[in-house]
Amino acid sequence: MINTPTPFWRNIARLLRPYRGWVALCAIANLVNVAATAASGLLFGPLIDGALAGRFEESWRWITLYVIAIAPVCALYWLGRWAQTRFVTGAAHDCRLALARHVQRLPIARIERENTGELMARINTGADRLADLLDRTPELYSWPLTFIVGMAAMLYLSWPLTLLALAFAVPATLVAQHVMKPVEALSHKRVERASEATAMVQDALAGVAVVKSFGLKEAMLARLNSIYESIQTLSDAAEKQNIKALVPYLLAQYVPQIVVPLAAGAFAVSGWLSPGGALAVCAVYYMVVGPISGVGYWRMQLSFMRPEIQRAFEVLDMAPEPSGRALTECASTLDVPLAITALQFRYADDREPVLRDVSLQVPAGRTVALVGASGGGKSSVIKLICGFYVPQSGEVRLFGQSLAELDPDNARQMLALVSQDTYLFTGTIAENIGQGRPAASFDDIVAAARAAYADAFIRAQPEGYQTRVGERGVLLSGGQRQRIALARAILKDAPILLLDEPTASLDLESERLIQDALAQFGRGRATLVVAHRLSTIRDADEIVVLDHGCVAERGA
């Protein structure tokens, strides 16, 4: 689900709001610079005319005034540039952080439909382009004033020359704008294809063992080459339009630089302008022409930047998990830690329900096992308890409180999950265990590792607890990864323990160690275990058999 998209410039304004003081300071500095530019241009008239007439004392007064004004103007301009750096880097940082935070708040169902490589490309590239865009924003509010002040100065000096400059600049800029219209659409398609390429490269790296073992290298390179060729085609088409538009932009910028000085010289020779007035026209005319051609060039750059920024903003428009109230303290000791009632659930793309009227309770200090054939809905029950998906009907209750009414992050503090697909983050063993409770001390981490029967093998590693595990823990065996994941769950010390096939792919020795650790850790907790192996469920207090999403049997 995607919310109503937030308008592009409203997103920009929202990011700049915390830095509005710096934006205002930058704007003031730019406005002062515009005024100083116009004033210096107008000074040329009396200065030159006084020098030509031999009134050198008058000319020196104008020069002295000009020099005195330069120092504060330069200082304010430097301050404006510093302010610009502050709000550009700050807003780009906030954008990256907001995107990363929002992705973490997205429902699992939404993230599973996205490619992580594409999401990363949206976050990183979008924030980089945003910084480029913000770096040009001061021009947007300085150009209008520059144009107005320049027009006033030019009209004061010579209205015919003002019309002459506009006659060349305006039509050329309008033609360029028309030529640039297809560029944004081409850029948007190019960005989409580039994201596909990023996602594919990430898949190839993550699945390098499969690629090599199945001989898929050439096939993947061929697909990647096809995407790169389409990117090149789109880039070429956009660049052709860019080049077509560049010619009128150059005409708008450079032709007046030739025509206006020649015309000003002719006016001076004919007596319509003084020599100083002619030079003053040459000094300030760019304040009229510059913003016209500048806005056109800025529009050209925006056509390339906006699609990448907009794709990043689209992530912020994705609906997050619904918020709710915090889990309150248990009303009495009779509250069952975990209960599910009449769950009906189907995935978005499934026609048949995965779960049909499933109910069970897991009291404190008891272990309930879910068994059944693959595809029977066992893991779906775990996902619903974790709040990763929302059932179509029925409810999950934690300590007597409906999960649908609770804040998901707060409710998950009551759960410790150990699954078959163990995920370790890039970092050290200690860092991975410590993620169970970020505030835990190193002694707490070691204690949790000992409880998971992991301390011995950890200390045997080259750097002990500071040994790096590699991406997804690839430098460790499956049993070692599973015991680290169990230590992480033990450190969390949650009252509800969820085990989703925790020993399914382990050897007998690793399975025995993990089962012993779970037996110790599960005491006093409500434990729900999904398993196929009899050894995993033989000590369960209740066994619930799921068959095609229905509870088929219950018993010991």
Side-chain angles (χ1 to χ4, degrees), residues 463-498:
E463 297 180 59
Y465 281 83
Q466 302 309 315
T467 300
R468 301 190 70 80
V469 301
E471 187 175 5
R472 299 179 65 92
V474 295
L475 301 181
L476 302 176
S477 69
Q480 291 171 338
R481 290 196 298 270
Q482 200 73 344
R483 276 179 277 171
I484 290 175
L486 178 56
R488 183 166 59 196
I490 290 173
L491 185 63
K492 187 176 183 181
D493 196 23
I496 301 172
L497 179 60
L498 304 176

PDB file of all heavy atoms in Angstrom, residues 463-498:
ATOM      1  N   GLU A 463      40.079 -14.419  17.354  1.00  0.00           N
ATOM      2  CA  GLU A 463      40.004 -13.227  18.192  1.00  0.00           C
ATOM      3  C   GLU A 463      38.888 -13.330  19.220  1.00  0.00           C
ATOM      4  O   GLU A 463      38.392 -12.311  19.712  1.00  0.00           O
ATOM      5  CB  GLU A 463      39.804 -11.984  17.318  1.00  0.00           C
ATOM      6  CG  GLU A 463      40.965 -11.725  16.359  1.00  0.00           C
ATOM      7  CD  GLU A 463      40.747 -10.494  15.511  1.00  0.00           C
ATOM      8  OE1 GLU A 463      40.594  -9.388  16.079  1.00  0.00           O
ATOM      9  OE2 GLU A 463      40.706 -10.640  14.273  1.00  0.00           O
ATOM     10  N   GLY A 464      38.493 -14.544  19.547  1.00  0.00           N
ATOM     11  CA  GLY A 464      37.482 -14.738  20.571  1.00  0.00           C
ATOM     12  C   GLY A 464      36.178 -14.036  20.224  1.00  0.00           C
ATOM     13  O   GLY A 464      35.660 -14.160  19.108  1.00  0.00           O
ATOM     14  N   TYR A 465      35.661 -13.286  21.187  1.00  0.00           N
ATOM     15  CA  TYR A 465      34.387 -12.607  20.992  1.00  0.00           C
ATOM     16  C   TYR A 465      34.486 -11.459  19.988  1.00  0.00           C
ATOM     17  O   TYR A 465      33.469 -10.971  19.500  1.00  0.00           O
ATOM     18  CB  TYR A 465      33.859 -12.070  22.323  1.00  0.00           C
ATOM     19  CG  TYR A 465      33.202 -13.131  23.179  1.00  0.00           C
ATOM     20  CD1 TYR A 465      33.963 -13.968  23.994  1.00  0.00           C
ATOM     21  CD2 TYR A 465      31.830 -13.313  23.162  1.00  0.00           C
ATOM     22  CE1 TYR A 465      33.368 -14.950  24.779  1.00  0.00           C
ATOM     23  CE2 TYR A 465      31.218 -14.285  23.933  1.00  0.00           C
ATOM     24  CZ  TYR A 465      31.993 -15.106  24.734  1.00  0.00           C
ATOM     25  OH  TYR A 465      31.380 -16.082  25.487  1.00  0.00           O
ATOM     26  N   GLN A 466      35.705 -11.044  19.661  1.00  0.00           N
ATOM     27  CA  GLN A 466      35.891  -9.956  18.695  1.00  0.00           C
ATOM     28  C   GLN A 466      36.130 -10.489  17.277  1.00  0.00           C
ATOM     29  O   GLN A 466      36.467  -9.725  16.373  1.00  0.00           O
ATOM     30  CB  GLN A 466      37.055  -9.058  19.120  1.00  0.00           C
ATOM     31  CG  GLN A 466      36.888  -8.445  20.496  1.00  0.00           C
ATOM     32  CD  GLN A 466      35.540  -7.747  20.670  1.00  0.00           C
ATOM     33  OE1 GLN A 466      35.103  -7.003  19.788  1.00  0.00           O
ATOM     34  NE2 GLN A 466      34.885  -7.991  21.805  1.00  0.00           N
ATOM     35  N   THR A 467      35.957 -11.784  17.079  1.00  0.00           N
ATOM     36  CA  THR A 467      36.093 -12.374  15.750  1.00  0.00           C
ATOM     37  C   THR A 467      34.950 -11.908  14.855  1.00  0.00           C
ATOM     38  O   THR A 467      33.782 -11.946  15.252  1.00  0.00           O
ATOM     39  CB  THR A 467      36.076 -13.909  15.831  1.00  0.00           C
ATOM     40  OG1 THR A 467      37.163 -14.338  16.658  1.00  0.00           O
ATOM     41  CG2 THR A 467      36.216 -14.539  14.449  1.00  0.00           C
ATOM     42  N   ARG A 468      35.268 -11.486  13.669  1.00  0.00           N
ATOM     43  CA  ARG A 468      34.244 -11.036  12.732  1.00  0.00           C
ATOM     44  C   ARG A 468      33.600 -12.249  12.068  1.00  0.00           C
ATOM     45  O   ARG A 468      34.286 -13.222  11.729  1.00  0.00           O
ATOM     46  CB  ARG A 468      34.841 -10.093  11.681  1.00  0.00           C
ATOM     47  CG  ARG A 468      35.491  -8.842  12.304  1.00  0.00           C
ATOM     48  CD  ARG A 468      35.844  -7.820  11.259  1.00  0.00           C
ATOM     49  NE  ARG A 468      34.667  -7.200  10.669  1.00  0.00           N
ATOM     50  CZ  ARG A 468      33.976  -6.217  11.231  1.00  0.00           C
ATOM     51  NH1 ARG A 468      34.344  -5.725  12.410  1.00  0.00           N
ATOM     52  NH2 ARG A 468      32.925  -5.706  10.625  1.00  0.00           N
ATOM     53  N   VAL A 469      32.271 -12.159  11.870  1.00  0.00           N
ATOM     54  CA  VAL A 469      31.519 -13.314  11.380  1.00  0.00           C
ATOM     55  C   VAL A 469      31.340 -13.309   9.869  1.00  0.00           C
ATOM     56  O   VAL A 469      30.872 -14.295   9.290  1.00  0.00           O
ATOM     57  CB  VAL A 469      30.130 -13.383  12.060  1.00  0.00           C
ATOM     58  CG1 VAL A 469      30.282 -13.482  13.570  1.00  0.00           C
ATOM     59  CG2 VAL A 469      29.274 -12.176  11.677  1.00  0.00           C
ATOM     60  N   GLY A 470      31.679 -12.192   9.186  1.00  0.00           N
ATOM     61  CA  GLY A 470      31.464 -12.107   7.746  1.00  0.00           C
ATOM     62  C   GLY A 470      30.021 -11.774   7.422  1.00  0.00           C
ATOM     63  O   GLY A 470      29.156 -11.718   8.312  1.00  0.00           O
ATOM     64  N   GLU A 471      29.746 -11.552   6.162  1.00  0.00           N
ATOM     65  CA  GLU A 471      28.380 -11.203   5.752  1.00  0.00           C
ATOM     66  C   GLU A 471      27.444 -12.371   5.999  1.00  0.00           C
ATOM     67  O   GLU A 471      27.700 -13.493   5.575  1.00  0.00           O
ATOM     68  CB  GLU A 471      28.361 -10.812   4.272  1.00  0.00           C
ATOM     69  CG  GLU A 471      27.021 -10.283   3.812  1.00  0.00           C
ATOM     70  CD  GLU A 471      27.051  -9.792   2.366  1.00  0.00           C
ATOM     71  OE1 GLU A 471      28.090  -9.959   1.710  1.00  0.00           O
ATOM     72  OE2 GLU A 471      26.036  -9.249   1.907  1.00  0.00           O
ATOM     73  N   ARG A 472      26.356 -12.087   6.746  1.00  0.00           N
ATOM     74  CA  ARG A 472      25.363 -13.105   7.115  1.00  0.00           C
ATOM     75  C   ARG A 472      25.973 -14.250   7.908  1.00  0.00           C
ATOM     76  O   ARG A 472      25.412 -15.336   7.986  1.00  0.00           O
ATOM     77  CB  ARG A 472      24.636 -13.648   5.869  1.00  0.00           C
ATOM     78  CG  ARG A 472      23.866 -12.596   5.085  1.00  0.00           C
ATOM     79  CD  ARG A 472      23.205 -13.207   3.870  1.00  0.00           C
ATOM     80  NE  ARG A 472      22.186 -14.179   4.259  1.00  0.00           N
ATOM     81  CZ  ARG A 472      20.908 -13.905   4.438  1.00  0.00           C
ATOM     82  NH1 ARG A 472      20.473 -12.668   4.275  1.00  0.00           N
ATOM     83  NH2 ARG A 472      20.058 -14.852   4.787  1.00  0.00           N
ATOM     84  N   GLY A 473      27.160 -14.052   8.492  1.00  0.00           N
ATOM     85  CA  GLY A 473      27.788 -15.083   9.316  1.00  0.00           C
ATOM     86  C   GLY A 473      28.426 -16.206   8.530  1.00  0.00           C
ATOM     87  O   GLY A 473      28.579 -17.326   9.042  1.00  0.00           O
ATOM     88  N   VAL A 474      28.866 -15.938   7.288  1.00  0.00           N
ATOM     89  CA  VAL A 474      29.364 -16.999   6.417  1.00  0.00           C
ATOM     90  C   VAL A 474      30.672 -17.614   6.913  1.00  0.00           C
ATOM     91  O   VAL A 474      31.042 -18.721   6.485  1.00  0.00           O
ATOM     92  CB  VAL A 474      29.577 -16.479   4.974  1.00  0.00           C
ATOM     93  CG1 VAL A 474      28.268 -16.098   4.357  1.00  0.00           C
ATOM     94  CG2 VAL A 474      30.560 -15.308   4.956  1.00  0.00           C
ATOM     95  N   LEU A 475      31.381 -16.935   7.826  1.00  0.00           N
ATOM     96  CA  LEU A 475      32.647 -17.464   8.316  1.00  0.00           C
ATOM     97  C   LEU A 475      32.463 -18.465   9.450  1.00  0.00           C
ATOM     98  O   LEU A 475      33.446 -19.011   9.958  1.00  0.00           O
ATOM     99  CB  LEU A 475      33.554 -16.307   8.786  1.00  0.00           C
ATOM    100  CG  LEU A 475      33.896 -15.258   7.717  1.00  0.00           C
ATOM    101  CD1 LEU A 475      34.808 -14.195   8.283  1.00  0.00           C
ATOM    102  CD2 LEU A 475      34.551 -15.922   6.502  1.00  0.00           C
ATOM    103  N   LEU A 476      31.216 -18.722   9.840  1.00  0.00           N
ATOM    104  CA  LEU A 476      30.915 -19.683  10.897  1.00  0.00           C
ATOM    105  C   LEU A 476      30.084 -20.828  10.333  1.00  0.00           C
ATOM    106  O   LEU A 476      29.436 -20.701   9.293  1.00  0.00           O
ATOM    107  CB  LEU A 476      30.148 -19.004  12.034  1.00  0.00           C
ATOM    108  CG  LEU A 476      30.832 -17.808  12.713  1.00  0.00           C
ATOM    109  CD1 LEU A 476      29.893 -17.203  13.749  1.00  0.00           C
ATOM    110  CD2 LEU A 476      32.149 -18.207  13.349  1.00  0.00           C
ATOM    111  N   SER A 477      30.092 -21.955  11.047  1.00  0.00           N
ATOM    112  CA  SER A 477      29.268 -23.091  10.626  1.00  0.00           C
ATOM    113  C   SER A 477      27.811 -22.846  10.999  1.00  0.00           C
ATOM    114  O   SER A 477      27.491 -21.941  11.777  1.00  0.00           O
ATOM    115  CB  SER A 477      29.766 -24.368  11.302  1.00  0.00           C
ATOM    116  OG  SER A 477      29.485 -24.326  12.697  1.00  0.00           O
ATOM    117  N   GLY A 478      26.928 -23.712  10.471  1.00  0.00           N
ATOM    118  CA  GLY A 478      25.509 -23.551  10.774  1.00  0.00           C
ATOM    119  C   GLY A 478      25.212 -23.700  12.256  1.00  0.00           C
ATOM    120  O   GLY A 478      24.429 -22.943  12.825  1.00  0.00           O
ATOM    121  N   GLY A 479      25.830 -24.677  12.899  1.00  0.00           N
ATOM    122  CA  GLY A 479      25.622 -24.871  14.327  1.00  0.00           C
ATOM    123  C   GLY A 479      26.135 -23.710  15.149  1.00  0.00           C
ATOM    124  O   GLY A 479      25.512 -23.304  16.149  1.00  0.00           O
ATOM    125  N   GLN A 480      27.273 -23.152  14.762  1.00  0.00           N
ATOM    126  CA  GLN A 480      27.819 -21.994  15.479  1.00  0.00           C
ATOM    127  C   GLN A 480      26.907 -20.778  15.330  1.00  0.00           C
ATOM    128  O   GLN A 480      26.648 -20.063  16.303  1.00  0.00           O
ATOM    129  CB  GLN A 480      29.226 -21.693  14.952  1.00  0.00           C
ATOM    130  CG  GLN A 480      30.260 -22.756  15.320  1.00  0.00           C
ATOM    131  CD  GLN A 480      31.585 -22.540  14.616  1.00  0.00           C
ATOM    132  OE1 GLN A 480      31.647 -21.882  13.568  1.00  0.00           O
ATOM    133  NE2 GLN A 480      32.649 -23.112  15.161  1.00  0.00           N
ATOM    134  N   ARG A 481      26.425 -20.543  14.108  1.00  0.00           N
ATOM    135  CA  ARG A 481      25.506 -19.417  13.897  1.00  0.00           C
ATOM    136  C   ARG A 481      24.242 -19.583  14.744  1.00  0.00           C
ATOM    137  O   ARG A 481      23.749 -18.623  15.333  1.00  0.00           O
ATOM    138  CB  ARG A 481      25.131 -19.302  12.414  1.00  0.00           C
ATOM    139  CG  ARG A 481      26.254 -18.831  11.511  1.00  0.00           C
ATOM    140  CD  ARG A 481      25.724 -18.364  10.168  1.00  0.00           C
ATOM    141  NE  ARG A 481      25.058 -19.420   9.429  1.00  0.00           N
ATOM    142  CZ  ARG A 481      25.661 -20.250   8.573  1.00  0.00           C
ATOM    143  NH1 ARG A 481      26.977 -20.133   8.363  1.00  0.00           N
ATOM    144  NH2 ARG A 481      24.987 -21.166   7.930  1.00  0.00           N
ATOM    145  N   GLN A 482      23.740 -20.832  14.810  1.00  0.00           N
ATOM    146  CA  GLN A 482      22.505 -21.065  15.544  1.00  0.00           C
ATOM    147  C   GLN A 482      22.699 -20.827  17.043  1.00  0.00           C
ATOM    148  O   GLN A 482      21.820 -20.279  17.720  1.00  0.00           O
ATOM    149  CB  GLN A 482      22.024 -22.498  15.287  1.00  0.00           C
ATOM    150  CG  GLN A 482      20.563 -22.735  15.568  1.00  0.00           C
ATOM    151  CD  GLN A 482      19.653 -22.102  14.522  1.00  0.00           C
ATOM    152  OE1 GLN A 482      20.068 -21.246  13.755  1.00  0.00           O
ATOM    153  NE2 GLN A 482      18.411 -22.516  14.476  1.00  0.00           N
ATOM    154  N   ARG A 483      23.851 -21.205  17.562  1.00  0.00           N
ATOM    155  CA  ARG A 483      24.093 -20.995  18.990  1.00  0.00           C
ATOM    156  C   ARG A 483      24.298 -19.513  19.301  1.00  0.00           C
ATOM    157  O   ARG A 483      23.918 -19.034  20.373  1.00  0.00           O
ATOM    158  CB  ARG A 483      25.309 -21.823  19.441  1.00  0.00           C
ATOM    159  CG  ARG A 483      24.926 -23.277  19.776  1.00  0.00           C
ATOM    160  CD  ARG A 483      26.123 -24.086  20.184  1.00  0.00           C
ATOM    161  NE  ARG A 483      26.844 -24.587  19.017  1.00  0.00           N
ATOM    162  CZ  ARG A 483      28.031 -25.180  19.083  1.00  0.00           C
ATOM    163  NH1 ARG A 483      28.644 -25.303  20.250  1.00  0.00           N
ATOM    164  NH2 ARG A 483      28.611 -25.632  17.992  1.00  0.00           N
ATOM    165  N   ILE A 484      24.892 -18.765  18.381  1.00  0.00           N
ATOM    166  CA  ILE A 484      25.002 -17.322  18.575  1.00  0.00           C
ATOM    167  C   ILE A 484      23.615 -16.683  18.552  1.00  0.00           C
ATOM    168  O   ILE A 484      23.307 -15.799  19.352  1.00  0.00           O
ATOM    169  CB  ILE A 484      25.914 -16.702  17.499  1.00  0.00           C
ATOM    170  CG1 ILE A 484      27.360 -17.120  17.743  1.00  0.00           C
ATOM    171  CG2 ILE A 484      25.799 -15.176  17.491  1.00  0.00           C
ATOM    172  CD1 ILE A 484      28.328 -16.663  16.676  1.00  0.00           C
ATOM    173  N   ALA A 485      22.755 -17.152  17.639  1.00  0.00           N
ATOM    174  CA  ALA A 485      21.380 -16.630  17.587  1.00  0.00           C
ATOM    175  C   ALA A 485      20.631 -16.959  18.869  1.00  0.00           C
ATOM    176  O   ALA A 485      19.849 -16.143  19.386  1.00  0.00           O
ATOM    177  CB  ALA A 485      20.646 -17.215  16.378  1.00  0.00           C
ATOM    178  N   LEU A 486      20.872 -18.157  19.417  1.00  0.00           N
ATOM    179  CA  LEU A 486      20.227 -18.530  20.669  1.00  0.00           C
ATOM    180  C   LEU A 486      20.754 -17.676  21.820  1.00  0.00           C
ATOM    181  O   LEU A 486      19.977 -17.234  22.684  1.00  0.00           O
ATOM    182  CB  LEU A 486      20.468 -20.014  20.951  1.00  0.00           C
ATOM    183  CG  LEU A 486      19.879 -20.552  22.258  1.00  0.00           C
ATOM    184  CD1 LEU A 486      18.383 -20.290  22.325  1.00  0.00           C
ATOM    185  CD2 LEU A 486      20.185 -22.044  22.406  1.00  0.00           C
ATOM    186  N   ALA A 487      22.058 -17.408  21.823  1.00  0.00           N
ATOM    187  CA  ALA A 487      22.631 -16.536  22.854  1.00  0.00           C
ATOM    188  C   ALA A 487      22.016 -15.141  22.769  1.00  0.00           C
ATOM    189  O   ALA A 487      21.762 -14.498  23.801  1.00  0.00           O
ATOM    190  CB  ALA A 487      24.148 -16.470  22.690  1.00  0.00           C
ATOM    191  N   ARG A 488      21.770 -14.665  21.563  1.00  0.00           N
ATOM    192  CA  ARG A 488      21.127 -13.366  21.375  1.00  0.00           C
ATOM    193  C   ARG A 488      19.724 -13.367  21.980  1.00  0.00           C
ATOM    194  O   ARG A 488      19.315 -12.399  22.639  1.00  0.00           O
ATOM    195  CB  ARG A 488      21.086 -13.041  19.879  1.00  0.00           C
ATOM    196  CG  ARG A 488      20.512 -11.691  19.525  1.00  0.00           C
ATOM    197  CD  ARG A 488      20.838 -11.344  18.072  1.00  0.00           C
ATOM    198  NE  ARG A 488      20.327 -12.323  17.122  1.00  0.00           N
ATOM    199  CZ  ARG A 488      20.725 -12.410  15.850  1.00  0.00           C
ATOM    200  NH1 ARG A 488      21.635 -11.571  15.376  1.00  0.00           N
ATOM    201  NH2 ARG A 488      20.223 -13.325  15.048  1.00  0.00           N
ATOM    202  N   ALA A 489      18.986 -14.464  21.772  1.00  0.00           N
ATOM    203  CA  ALA A 489      17.642 -14.575  22.327  1.00  0.00           C
ATOM    204  C   ALA A 489      17.688 -14.681  23.849  1.00  0.00           C
ATOM    205  O   ALA A 489      16.855 -14.093  24.555  1.00  0.00           O
ATOM    206  CB  ALA A 489      16.929 -15.785  21.730  1.00  0.00           C
ATOM    207  N   ILE A 490      18.667 -15.419  24.374  1.00  0.00           N
ATOM    208  CA  ILE A 490      18.800 -15.559  25.826  1.00  0.00           C
ATOM    209  C   ILE A 490      19.106 -14.202  26.458  1.00  0.00           C
ATOM    210  O   ILE A 490      18.568 -13.849  27.514  1.00  0.00           O
ATOM    211  CB  ILE A 490      19.899 -16.596  26.160  1.00  0.00           C
ATOM    212  CG1 ILE A 490      19.428 -18.003  25.770  1.00  0.00           C
ATOM    213  CG2 ILE A 490      20.276 -16.540  27.638  1.00  0.00           C
ATOM    214  CD1 ILE A 490      20.490 -19.074  25.909  1.00  0.00           C
ATOM    215  N   LEU A 491      19.970 -13.436  25.823  1.00  0.00           N
ATOM    216  CA  LEU A 491      20.318 -12.118  26.340  1.00  0.00           C
ATOM    217  C   LEU A 491      19.106 -11.193  26.363  1.00  0.00           C
ATOM    218  O   LEU A 491      18.977 -10.351  27.266  1.00  0.00           O
ATOM    219  CB  LEU A 491      21.439 -11.502  25.485  1.00  0.00           C
ATOM    220  CG  LEU A 491      22.004 -10.167  25.966  1.00  0.00           C
ATOM    221  CD1 LEU A 491      22.667 -10.326  27.332  1.00  0.00           C
ATOM    222  CD2 LEU A 491      22.999  -9.611  24.953  1.00  0.00           C
ATOM    223  N   LYS A 492      18.218 -11.356  25.405  1.00  0.00           N
ATOM    224  CA  LYS A 492      17.014 -10.525  25.376  1.00  0.00           C
ATOM    225  C   LYS A 492      16.128 -10.796  26.582  1.00  0.00           C
ATOM    226  O   LYS A 492      15.447  -9.896  27.092  1.00  0.00           O
ATOM    227  CB  LYS A 492      16.231 -10.765  24.077  1.00  0.00           C
ATOM    228  CG  LYS A 492      15.055  -9.816  23.902  1.00  0.00           C
ATOM    229  CD  LYS A 492      14.362 -10.009  22.571  1.00  0.00           C
ATOM    230  CE  LYS A 492      13.222  -8.998  22.390  1.00  0.00           C
ATOM    231  NZ  LYS A 492      12.525  -9.177  21.102  1.00  0.00           N
ATOM    232  N   ASP A 493      16.102 -12.065  27.037  1.00  0.00           N
ATOM    233  CA  ASP A 493      15.388 -12.441  28.266  1.00  0.00           C
ATOM    234  C   ASP A 493      13.906 -12.083  28.183  1.00  0.00           C
ATOM    235  O   ASP A 493      13.327 -11.505  29.116  1.00  0.00           O
ATOM    236  CB  ASP A 493      16.036 -11.751  29.476  1.00  0.00           C
ATOM    237  CG  ASP A 493      15.599 -12.385  30.799  1.00  0.00           C
ATOM    238  OD1 ASP A 493      15.193 -13.561  30.771  1.00  0.00           O
ATOM    239  OD2 ASP A 493      15.638 -11.688  31.823  1.00  0.00           O
ATOM    240  N   ALA A 494      13.271 -12.410  27.069  1.00  0.00           N
ATOM    241  CA  ALA A 494      11.844 -12.127  26.881  1.00  0.00           C
ATOM    242  C   ALA A 494      11.004 -13.248  27.499  1.00  0.00           C
ATOM    243  O   ALA A 494      11.440 -14.401  27.561  1.00  0.00           O
ATOM    244  CB  ALA A 494      11.528 -11.988  25.397  1.00  0.00           C
ATOM    245  N   PRO A 495       9.777 -12.953  27.927  1.00  0.00           N
ATOM    246  CA  PRO A 495       8.945 -13.978  28.576  1.00  0.00           C
ATOM    247  C   PRO A 495       8.320 -14.990  27.621  1.00  0.00           C
ATOM    248  O   PRO A 495       7.821 -16.014  28.060  1.00  0.00           O
ATOM    249  CB  PRO A 495       7.865 -13.153  29.275  1.00  0.00           C
ATOM    250  CG  PRO A 495       7.774 -11.899  28.476  1.00  0.00           C
ATOM    251  CD  PRO A 495       9.163 -11.624  27.985  1.00  0.00           C
ATOM    252  N   ILE A 496       8.320 -14.682  26.306  1.00  0.00           N
ATOM    253  CA  ILE A 496       7.750 -15.595  25.312  1.00  0.00           C
ATOM    254  C   ILE A 496       8.853 -16.003  24.347  1.00  0.00           C
ATOM    255  O   ILE A 496       9.520 -15.147  23.758  1.00  0.00           O
ATOM    256  CB  ILE A 496       6.589 -14.935  24.549  1.00  0.00           C
ATOM    257  CG1 ILE A 496       5.479 -14.514  25.520  1.00  0.00           C
ATOM    258  CG2 ILE A 496       6.033 -15.889  23.491  1.00  0.00           C
ATOM    259  CD1 ILE A 496       4.378 -13.694  24.874  1.00  0.00           C
ATOM    260  N   LEU A 497       9.040 -17.302  24.191  1.00  0.00           N
ATOM    261  CA  LEU A 497      10.099 -17.837  23.332  1.00  0.00           C
ATOM    262  C   LEU A 497       9.462 -18.506  22.118  1.00  0.00           C
ATOM    263  O   LEU A 497       8.612 -19.394  22.258  1.00  0.00           O
ATOM    264  CB  LEU A 497      10.947 -18.840  24.108  1.00  0.00           C
ATOM    265  CG  LEU A 497      12.093 -19.524  23.356  1.00  0.00           C
ATOM    266  CD1 LEU A 497      13.098 -18.500  22.845  1.00  0.00           C
ATOM    267  CD2 LEU A 497      12.785 -20.549  24.253  1.00  0.00           C
ATOM    268  N   LEU A 498       9.854 -18.051  20.922  1.00  0.00           N
ATOM    269  CA  LEU A 498       9.349 -18.610  19.663  1.00  0.00           C
ATOM    270  C   LEU A 498      10.490 -19.320  18.952  1.00  0.00           C
ATOM    271  O   LEU A 498      11.529 -18.712  18.682  1.00  0.00           O
ATOM    272  CB  LEU A 498       8.777 -17.503  18.778  1.00  0.00           C
ATOM    273  CG  LEU A 498       7.678 -16.630  19.386  1.00  0.00           C
ATOM    274  CD1 LEU A 498       7.274 -15.526  18.422  1.00  0.00           C
ATOM    275  CD2 LEU A 498       6.467 -17.462  19.772  1.00  0.00           C
TER     276      LEU A 498
END
